[in-house]
Amino acid sequence: MKKINKLMILGMLVFGITGVTTINPAMTTTADASTNITIDGKMNDWKDATLTEGYNGYTALARAGQYVNVYVKMKNGAVPGYGDYNFTIDGKTYYIWSKNISGSVSSGTVKSFTLTGGKWNEGTQYGAVGTGYVTNDGSHNYAEFQIDLTKLGLSDSASGKQISMVNLNIGNAPTTSTVGTIPASSTSSSSSTSSSTNANSATSSSAGVITDKDTSASKASSTTDNNAANDNDNLNIKIDGNFNDWKNVTLTEGYNGYMAMVSDGKYVYVYVKMKYGQVPGYGDYNFDISGQKYYVWSNEMPSSQSDGAVKAVSFTGGSNNEGHQYGTVGNGYVSQSGSHSIAEFRVNLSKFDISTMTGQTITMTNPNIGNQKMTVAGGSTGPYVISGVGVVIVAWGYFKFRKRRRLTATDSSTTKN
């Protein structure tokens, strides 16, 4: 007992010395305040935009900081994924295209898609650069999407420069705007956690902890017994289609959603909550384990779900985007909670032929959710959420203390549907 008390005191001292860093500023998906455009599959916020007419449709641009928002309305046929969408910025052309935009959208339906960037038509040099939605109002096909200009290698020096776009499958006339303000510090570096966040209480802050735990998407009662046989030591996270066991894990915010990640050395556990659209299966979920890259993705993600629906999905691993080299590496659940698509899944690290995770650092990001990377340390002693060394030590000592005292929590059992 004395040993554990000393450990907790040591953790408090370290926490007091090191503290925790602040989270990256929230990235916005809103264009100029006057236009208030949000990429969400609803097109009415483009009603005041100036349209450029082509022989087969109309296009418009709206700047949004380091992003540019694009609107397309077709006169005839489907919104093209190819063409490409050719952007010219400061004399240089970038080619943006999509291979998963739906060519058949029924009236009233909204479908999400991703976009890839290259140095020539259908090039892939820039990887995934944006996301969007395609829909149909019964007469015309529409699309709106957002491109992250930093994915194209643009920096703050491009702020205020003219930007033009044309797709020859829509028309020959380019639509123009100016590049918004790209922050000088805009990078894909690892995100930090907020010192203002109390990990033991739920907050409504996007930089805080997960708050949608009593979602109707839960298939059974929540697991609250900290002495239970847990999947990852004492964080008590189980991949079962319930999400309330993530309540004490800090969220990392991206431009299109939030993510959280923990590890017990054998598995990595991931939580995703989208701001708009469905949880992406592609992107991929890009893991970096001590400098080695692993790409995890799923082709089983639903394009839409009814509120409260839960679907089990599996994940494939590769040594490149959408690669199959490691076969099935994980499993999880995706659900719809009100207006948000949410998911949790785990990845079996042994599938990557890694002998041990002890002492190794794991980072992960998905460009369809945001640029920020999440970081954890893998090891056999349990999960480490990177939010301050002192926090980790205090939490570990506290849970060991609970086990020694045999302090049990009650949990009412509910039969799964």
Side-chain angles (χ1 to χ4, degrees), residues 118-340:
K119 296 180 179 180
W120 51 73
N121 271 291
E122 299 173 34
T124 60
Q125 290 83 359
Y126 301 111
V129 297
T131 58
Y133 298 90
V134 62
T135 188
N136 184 295
D137 67 355
S139 301
H140 302 279
N141 285 297
Y142 299 81
E144 63 175 358
F145 58 88
Q146 182 176 82
I147 302 300
D148 184 346
L149 298 176
T150 64
K151 292 288 186 179
L152 306 177
L154 295 171
S155 65
D156 58 319
S157 63
S159 300
K161 298 289 180 67
Q162 185 183 65
I163 177 172
S164 67
M165 184 210 73
V166 65
N167 185 307
L168 298 180
N169 288 327
I170 302 172
N172 297 320
T175 184
T176 62
S177 183
T178 56
V179 177
T181 301
I182 300 177
S185 60
S186 179
T187 67
S188 58
S189 59
S190 300
S191 61
S192 304
T193 52
S194 174
S195 60
S196 62
T197 299
N198 181 351
N200 294 315
S201 63
T203 71
S204 59
S205 170
S206 60
V209 296
I210 297 164
T211 59
D212 58 334
K213 300 291 84 71
D214 55 349
T215 168
S216 59
S218 295
K219 296 169 62 179
S221 62
S222 62
T223 302
T224 58
D225 185 0
N226 284 316
N227 293 299
N230 302 323
D231 278 350
N232 58 340
D233 202 37
N234 285 298
L235 276 177
N236 201 26
I237 291 172
K238 297 180 73 69
I239 304 302
D240 56 5
N242 304 317
F243 302 94
N244 55 344
D245 45 1
W246 288 93
K247 62 186 176 183
N248 291 327
V249 183
T250 303
L251 288 169
T252 296
E253 182 177 9
Y255 67 87
N256 199 33
Y258 310 87
M259 294 191 295
M261 182 173 70
V262 297
S263 175
D264 59 7
K266 181 178 180 181
Y267 294 96
V268 169
Y269 303 81
V270 179
Y271 171 91
V272 178
K273 177 180 179 181
M274 302 302 291
K275 295 179 181 179
Y276 318 109
Q278 295 299 114
V279 172
Y282 298 92
D284 294 341
Y285 295 90
N286 303 319
F287 287 86
D288 185 313
I289 303 176
S290 294
Q292 182 64 45
K293 302 280 194 298
Y294 303 92
Y295 301 85
V296 175
W297 56 282
S298 175
N299 61 0
E300 299 177 0
M301 289 291 185
S303 58
S304 64
Q305 288 180 288
S306 58
D307 191 18
V310 179
K311 180 184 178 181
V313 294
S314 64
F315 288 80
T316 301
S319 56
N320 48 265
N321 269 291
E322 300 172 34
H324 297 77
Q325 290 84 355
Y326 302 105
T328 300
V329 298
N331 67 287
Y333 295 88
V334 60
S335 179
Q336 188 69 28
S337 176
S339 60
H340 299 284

Side-chain angles (χ1 to χ4, degrees), residues 29-42:
T29 59
T30 304
D32 300 324
S34 60
T35 58
N36 196 30
I37 291 169
T38 302
I39 305 302
D40 56 4
K42 301 173 183 178

